[in-house]
Amino acid sequence: NKESSSGIYPIHYTLWETGMHELTVNSGMSIVSGSSYSVEVTNSSPQASSSSATGNGLKSGIAGEQTSFKIQLRDQREAEVQAIMAKGTLIEFINEIQRLTLS
């Protein structure tokens, strides 16, 4: 609560919810003139180290049968950004023999 030498008061705050927020500065019970602001809060970019993927589709699968897994993206503060359910498209089964020739 100290005033700097130029009469500026440094203010630090953390917003935890996304969306539009109204910010006003009060001195006692009065709003400081010109201190009403609209602040838009968004999630930060997804970060791999705090995101995860789970499900059987990451472990195994059978050719020609559908499998799936869930990806949960989180930002650096680990708040959920979004969850994605990924499913593969079934294609017609083609019975063929694959050969590898080593030279």
Side-chain angles (χ1 to χ4, degrees):
N1 291 345
K2 289 186 176 182
E3 180 179 333
S4 71
S5 60
S6 62
I8 296 174
Y9 294 85
I11 298 173
H12 304 275
Y13 62 98
T14 302
L15 297 171
W16 296 101
E17 294 185 19
T18 59
M20 293 298 295
H21 299 273
E22 294 297 319
L23 174 67
T24 56
V25 179
N26 294 340
S27 177
M29 297 300 289
S30 302
I31 296 175
V32 174
S33 177
S35 71
S36 184
Y37 306 95
S38 292
V39 178
E40 182 177 8
V41 180
T42 61
N43 285 317
S44 63
S45 299
Q47 187 169 347
S49 64
S50 59
S51 298
S52 64
T54 59
N56 291 333
L58 295 171
K59 299 173 186 173
S60 65
I62 298 173
E65 291 186 12
Q66 182 175 331
T67 188
S68 65
F69 59 93
K70 180 180 178 181
I71 302 169
Q72 188 168 38
L73 301 176
R74 296 180 179 268
D75 64 16
Q76 65 185 358
R77 290 176 309 282
E78 298 189 18
E80 182 177 329
V81 176
Q82 59 183 322
I84 301 171
M85 180 61 100
K87 291 185 178 180
T89 304
L90 291 177
I91 60 171
E92 185 177 328
F93 177 73
I94 301 171
N95 188 12
E96 63 181 46
I97 297 173
Q98 298 179 2
R99 295 179 187 192
L100 176 65
T101 305
L102 300 174
S103 52

